[in-house]
Amino acid sequence: MRLDKLVATTLGRTRSQVRKLLQDGAITVNGAKATSGKKHVDPQQDVISAFGDELHYESKRYLMLNKPAGVISATTDPQQQTVLSLLPESARKGIFPVGRLDKDTTGLLLLTNDGHFAHQLMSPKKHVAKTYRALVAGTVTAQICTQFSAGLTLRTGEVTRPAQLTLLKGNVPTGKSSVQIVIVEGKYHQIKRMFGAVGMKVLQLQRCAIGQLQLDPQLKAGQVRALTPAELALFKQLNTLS
C-alpha cells in the first residue's frame, strides 16, 4: 500500500499532514528517511516509523475519542455533526462508534471497524462496567446511593441492575452534587432516567472509563487517537477481542 495512506490511517492524520511529516523528515522506512508518500510499502515486511517510533498498521482499528458535546454518536446524519466528522476523511472508512453517548454527553467513546469487538463490548451478557461523572441538581444523600446500589425502577417500569453511586468531594455549586456512577448496562438515557427516578436532574455527564480503560487526560475534546497495545490488552482480558 502507499506510504502516505498507511501513515494517515495509523496516525489518524490527513494526507496533507502526512506530506508535512515527510517534508520534515519525520517518517522513515527501514531506517531511511522517506520523502514521497507515493512509495509503496509492505506493512508486514517494512519497518515504518514516525518520530522514531515504529508504526504498527492493523487492518482492524481501535480508536479513543474524547467526544465533545453537540456531536451525535452516528456515522452519518443529514443535519447534525457526527463523531466520524472529527476524524480525517482518510481515516473514516469502515469506522463506527461502539455504542452511543447522548448528544450532550461528553467523554470516552470508542471507534472501530471491528464488528465482533463492538458487539462483545456492548453485549449485556458481558456486564462491562462504564464509569461516568455527573453534575446533578439537588443533594445526593446516602439513601439515594443505597437506592442506586439496589437497582432502580424507572418511570417506564424497567428495572436497572445495581449501580455504584459515589458522592465526589470538591468545590460544587450550592444545590448541586458532583458524583461518579458505575453501571454495567446501557439502557436508553439510562443515567438521566435513573436520577429522574429519584427526582433529580442531570446537568452535565461525562463518561470517563469503559472497563479498566480510562479516558486519556491529555486528549482534548474532539481529539482522537489509536488505542495502545497495553490498552487493547485490557479488552483481551474481557474476551472482547478475538
Side-chain angles (χ1 to χ4, degrees), residues 131-152:
T131 304
Y132 296 78
R133 289 180 181 172
L135 181 68
V136 298
T139 302
V140 171
T141 63
Q143 180 182 1
I144 291 175
C145 292
T146 299
Q147 288 178 268
F148 270 67
S149 66
L152 288 167

Side-chain angles (χ1 to χ4, degrees), residues 66-229:
N66 186 353
K67 179 189 170 299
V71 180
I72 64 171
S73 299
T75 54
T76 60
D77 190 275
Q79 296 179 321
Q80 302 184 77
Q81 184 182 12
T82 71
V83 291
L84 253 63
S85 70
L86 301 172
L87 296 177
E89 203 166 323
S90 62
R92 297 176 192 171
K93 186 176 180 180
I95 297 294
F96 56 89
V98 180
R100 294 181 180 273
L101 289 179
D102 300 339
K103 183 177 179 179
D104 57 349
T105 299
T106 64
L108 177 58
L109 182 67
L110 296 177
L111 306 173
T112 188
N113 59 356
D114 185 345
H116 173 77
F117 168 72
H119 174 75
Q120 291 291 94
L121 190 60
M122 292 295 107
S123 172
K125 295 180 180 179
K126 290 291 184 179
H127 303 317
V128 177
K130 289 93 177 175
T131 304
Y132 296 78
R133 289 180 181 172
L135 181 68
V136 298
T139 302
V140 171
T141 63
Q143 180 182 1
I144 291 175
C145 292
T146 299
Q147 288 178 268
F148 270 67
S149 66
L152 288 167
T153 300
L154 306 179
R155 291 171 178 171
T156 57
E158 295 175 86
V159 179
T160 70
R161 289 184 173 274
Q164 181 182 346
L165 176 62
T166 306
L167 186 63
L168 300 176
K169 297 180 180 180
N171 295 323
V172 182
T174 303
K176 299 176 182 178
S177 300
S178 179
V179 297
Q180 177 177 285
I181 314 101
V182 182
I183 61 175
V184 292
E185 55 188 345
K187 299 182 185 297
Y188 179 71
H189 287 180
Q190 180 169 339
I191 291 176
K192 295 176 181 178
R193 294 164 67 202
M194 291 175 77
F195 277 104
V198 295
M200 303 183 77
K201 182 180 180 181
V202 175
L203 303 175
Q204 296 175 11
L205 185 63
Q206 179 195 49
R207 182 157 67 189
C208 48
I210 299 175
Q212 297 299 312
L213 177 67
Q214 302 284 327
L215 175 64
D216 185 345
Q218 302 302 316
L219 207 60
K220 297 179 181 179
Q223 290 186 333
V224 63
R225 68 162 174 80
L227 294 187
T228 66

Side-chain angles (χ1 to χ4, degrees), residues 16 27 39 43 46 58 60 99 101 108 129 152 163 198 238-239:
S16 60
I27 308 298
K39 177 182 178 67
D46 295 315
E58 298 288 347
K60 292 182 180 180
L101 289 179
L108 177 58
L152 288 167
V198 295
L238 296 171
N239 295 318

